[in-house]
Amino acid sequence: MKRFKYYIYTAVAALSIIGCSEEELVKYPTQLEIIAEIPQTRTAYTTEGSITKVEWVEGDNIGLFTKNLNNTQLQANNAGSSVSFSPINDITLEEGDSVFAYYPYSFYTNNSEDNPLIQNTQQYIEAGLANLDFMFASGQVVNNKVELKFQHTLSFIRFKLPTEYITPKAEMENTGFVIKSRYQGKNYPVSAYLIYDSPGGKIKTARSNERIYYTFPENYKDSTEVTCMVSMLPQPEGAKIEFYRYDMYGGDDFLFEKSAPEGGLQAGHIYNLTFDSDNIEYYTELDRSALIAFYNSTNGDEWINNTNWCSDKPLNEWYGISTNCTGTVRDITLEYNNLTGTIPPEIGNLTYLRQINVGGNRLTGSIPSEIGKLKHLERAIFNVNELSGRLPVELAECDKLHTFDILGNKITGSIPVEYAEMFNRDNFDFGCVNNTLSKAELSLFRAPFPPTAVWLGVPSRKLRLICSVSWRLTR
């Protein structure tokens, strides 16, 4: 969290629309003032300490809605912090009319879910902050005048990323990264389709999304690093902001993560992230040490295939190891490779491990409690070994886990009640045949319960189990 630096700013704005009609009709918006901190990509600016005061430039456009007007375009007549705006076409506003204004103006919106005021799911490095920002204001016509205070809806993160980490796996026109967020063990929305809720007088999320796709052009490789500015929904304090490289193979190649600082990511604020290459090197070396400990603890010299293990070659050249684009370990795939001995506690040091598959070996001992440190773990396959002892309670802390297979071992005891939330995840797979486990507490499962264990058959709607006959669950 220390490397996720709080950058600054508060956004305040006032819009005055003054008319000149004797019939209480407003013809022209005349003054718009906004004080905010955003980079020069949008407008002229002056810096005072840590705050940048942004001024409108001539030609800036806002959109206006009333009960009789649908997305009317207004344009700045001049530059400055307080400027007059005029409609592109004549407009008529009556005394008492409610007015909603937004920036930046979009010709295509009709304030619906299909054509929202803004959607920030797809973003492009060429866009600039002007096209990533979204501000709105509302008010009423009073004495031929409307006063509106603009508010920011989105927060912003800015960072520099070495291009070597986003180079695609194959030649293609574009590449980029995916941004996700997790809070209290669950996915948290980062982007949305925003519309104006006129009855409530506020911005409404028509549809939220748990991803942002940020795209680079083909010529991004001409430089060694790129500066990225991303807009996203405000995030709560402690939320984990995750970055993944994406290309034609999908967006599952982990880059890095940061924690939202004290107070969270607030609307109208810019936050500087530091991508620390030294930190990546630290985790890579930590992974190397953990793999060597795993090799020694499972009698690696006797493996069927141990090519390049414990060598100075990159980890992705070690047999059965796949890495993220930063070089940290992503997958361990060593099934049916004559592994014996025990799983060492150092397994918990593989910080960004997504999958471990060591099925079909002769591993003994218990599954170490340190497995609970693997916050990115999605699949844990330990089937057909000789593992014993009780299930580690700490496994419940792996909030991304969706597959846990201990089929064909000698594990005893009851299933920890701490597994309840894990079992209640949609399509969670739990293989447990041929162990000596106590009958499951039905309260661990969310109704409707699946019928008999059918993991290798038709999947159930919520939870799939392979279990002993005595575990037959009923609806």
Side-chain angles (χ1 to χ4, degrees):
M1 190 163 71
K2 295 181 180 178
R3 292 186 297 275
F4 200 144
K5 299 181 181 176
Y6 187 98
Y7 189 58
I8 35 194
Y9 89 68
T10 55
V12 184
L15 169 65
S16 299
I17 303 180
I18 303 176
C20 55
S21 169
E22 296 180 357
E23 299 176 359
E24 297 183 341
L25 299 181
V26 178
K27 292 284 187 178
Y28 309 104
T30 60
Q31 188 173 22
L32 177 62
E33 181 179 27
I34 183 168
I35 300 173
E37 179 179 356
I38 49 180
Q40 60 182 333
T41 50
R42 174 165 146 9
T43 62
Y45 74 106
T46 57
T47 301
E48 297 179 5
S50 60
I51 297 178
T52 300
K53 293 185 177 180
V54 178
E55 296 180 338
W56 296 94
V57 296
E58 183 176 353
D60 265 347
N61 294 289
I62 62 175
L64 198 70
F65 286 89
T66 70
K67 64 180 180 181
N68 296 317
L69 297 175
N70 182 46
N71 197 31
T72 297
Q73 182 180 1
L74 280 66
Q75 191 170 82
N77 296 319
N78 56 298
S81 60
S82 180
V83 303
S84 64
F85 273 71
S86 296
I88 300 300
N89 301 302
D90 287 344
I91 62 173
T92 298
L93 297 177
E94 299 179 358
E95 182 73 8
D97 272 355
S98 294
V99 174
F100 167 74
Y102 73 96
Y103 173 88
Y105 171 78
S106 170
F107 173 79
Y108 300 100
T109 184
N110 60 8
N111 196 36
S112 68
E113 182 173 341
D114 292 331
N115 296 288
L117 299 176
I118 189 174
Q119 68 87 10
N120 65 326
T121 301
Q122 300 281 348
Q123 299 184 29
Y124 305 88
I125 193 170
E126 308 99 319
L129 192 54
N131 296 308
L132 299 176
D133 200 358
F134 181 75
M135 297 179 288
F136 72 97
S138 60
Q140 279 189 315
V141 179
V142 179
N143 297 324
N144 291 339
K145 181 180 179 180
V146 178
E147 293 185 354
L148 301 167
K149 291 186 177 181
F150 270 76
Q151 303 175 52
H152 281 267
T153 305
L154 304 172
S155 59
F156 306 92
I157 52 178
R158 177 169 55 199
F159 59 95
K160 292 182 179 180
L161 185 65
T163 56
E164 65 179 286
Y165 295 124
I166 52 175
T167 301
K169 299 175 183 176
E171 288 300 321
M172 57 185 302
E173 291 184 0
N174 294 306
T175 188
F177 55 82
V178 174
I179 301 174
K180 306 177 188 178
S181 176
R182 291 184 67 81
Y183 180 63
Q184 295 182 343
K186 299 183 182 297
N187 293 331
Y188 197 87
V190 291
S191 61
Y193 283 39
L194 301 177
I195 60 176
Y196 176 63
D197 177 24
S198 53
K202 60 183 179 180
I203 290 295
K204 174 183 176 182
T205 299
R207 187 165 73 244
S208 61
N209 198 310
E210 296 172 352
R211 295 186 174 203
I212 290 173
Y213 296 90
Y214 194 87
T215 303
F216 298 95
E218 187 176 7
N219 64 359
Y220 83 94
K221 291 177 283 189
D222 295 341
S223 57
T224 58
E225 67 178 12
V226 290
T227 299
C228 306
M229 178 72 78
V230 180
S231 67
M232 64 193 308
L233 294 176
Q235 300 292 304
E237 179 178 332
K240 297 288 187 182
I241 317 300
E242 302 175 342
F243 296 78
Y244 297 79
R245 182 180 70 174
Y246 85 85
D247 51 33
M248 60 173 38
Y249 295 94
D252 62 350
D253 204 352
F254 184 81
L255 276 167
F256 67 103
E257 69 179 4
K258 299 289 181 179
S259 295
E262 183 178 355
L265 300 186
Q266 301 177 30
H269 290 233
I270 299 176
Y271 300 83
N272 276 349
L273 279 76
T274 302
F275 180 83
D276 192 346
S277 297
D278 292 338
N279 197 43
I280 294 297
E281 184 176 347
Y282 164 78
Y283 282 112
T284 302
E285 289 306 309
L286 188 65
D287 285 358
R288 183 181 295 271
S289 297
L291 290 180
I292 291 174
F294 181 85
Y295 181 90
N296 292 331
S297 184
T298 58
N299 297 308
D301 289 344
E302 303 300 323
W303 292 357
I304 295 172
N305 192 335
N306 58 12
T307 302
N308 291 330
W309 273 76
C310 303
S311 72
D312 58 359
K313 294 192 178 227
L315 297 181
N316 63 353
E317 294 184 22
W318 293 19
Y319 174 76
I321 301 298
S322 298
T323 62
N324 296 300
C325 55
T326 55
T328 55
V329 174
R330 182 182 64 189
D331 302 326
I332 298 176
T333 308
L334 294 170
E335 77 271 31
Y336 297 98
N337 199 42
N338 196 39
L339 276 64
T340 59
T342 61
I343 302 171
E346 286 85 353
I347 195 75
N349 293 337
L350 297 169
T351 308
Y352 300 112
L353 185 67
R354 184 188 66 175
Q355 172 183 279
I356 178 169
N357 184 349
V358 290
N361 289 289
R362 291 183 293 148
L363 294 171
T364 56
S366 60
I367 300 173
S369 61
E370 285 79 4
I371 195 172
K373 295 166 59 178
L374 303 177
K375 304 306 181 185
H376 293 270
L377 188 64
E378 297 178 7
R379 301 182 74 241
I381 312 297
F382 300 108
N383 63 336
V384 195
N385 276 282
E386 298 174 14
L387 296 171
S388 59
R390 293 178 175 269
L391 292 171
V393 172
E394 292 80 4
L395 185 72
E397 298 174 18
C398 300
D399 53 49
K400 290 186 178 182
L401 189 68
H402 59 73
T403 300
F404 181 44
D405 186 2
I406 54 170
L407 179 152
N409 281 280
K410 301 176 181 179
I411 295 174
T412 59
S414 61
I415 294 179
V417 295
E418 289 82 359
Y419 284 15
E421 187 280 329
M422 187 166 68
F423 282 1
N424 283 335
R425 297 171 195 165
D426 287 348
N427 299 317
F428 186 88
D429 294 344
F430 180 39
C432 56
V433 165
N434 296 334
N435 288 278
T436 312
L437 293 169
S438 304
K439 183 177 180 180
E441 292 291 337
L442 293 184
S443 61
L444 293 180
F445 304 101
R446 175 174 51 200
F449 303 127
T452 315
V454 287
W455 190 10
L456 299 181
V458 179
S460 69
R461 282 166 287 182
K462 294 297 182 185
L463 173 68
R464 293 183 286 183
L465 291 171
I466 292 184
C467 51
S468 60
V469 175
S470 63
W471 267 44
R472 183 181 299 270
L473 303 178
T474 58
R475 292 183 182 276

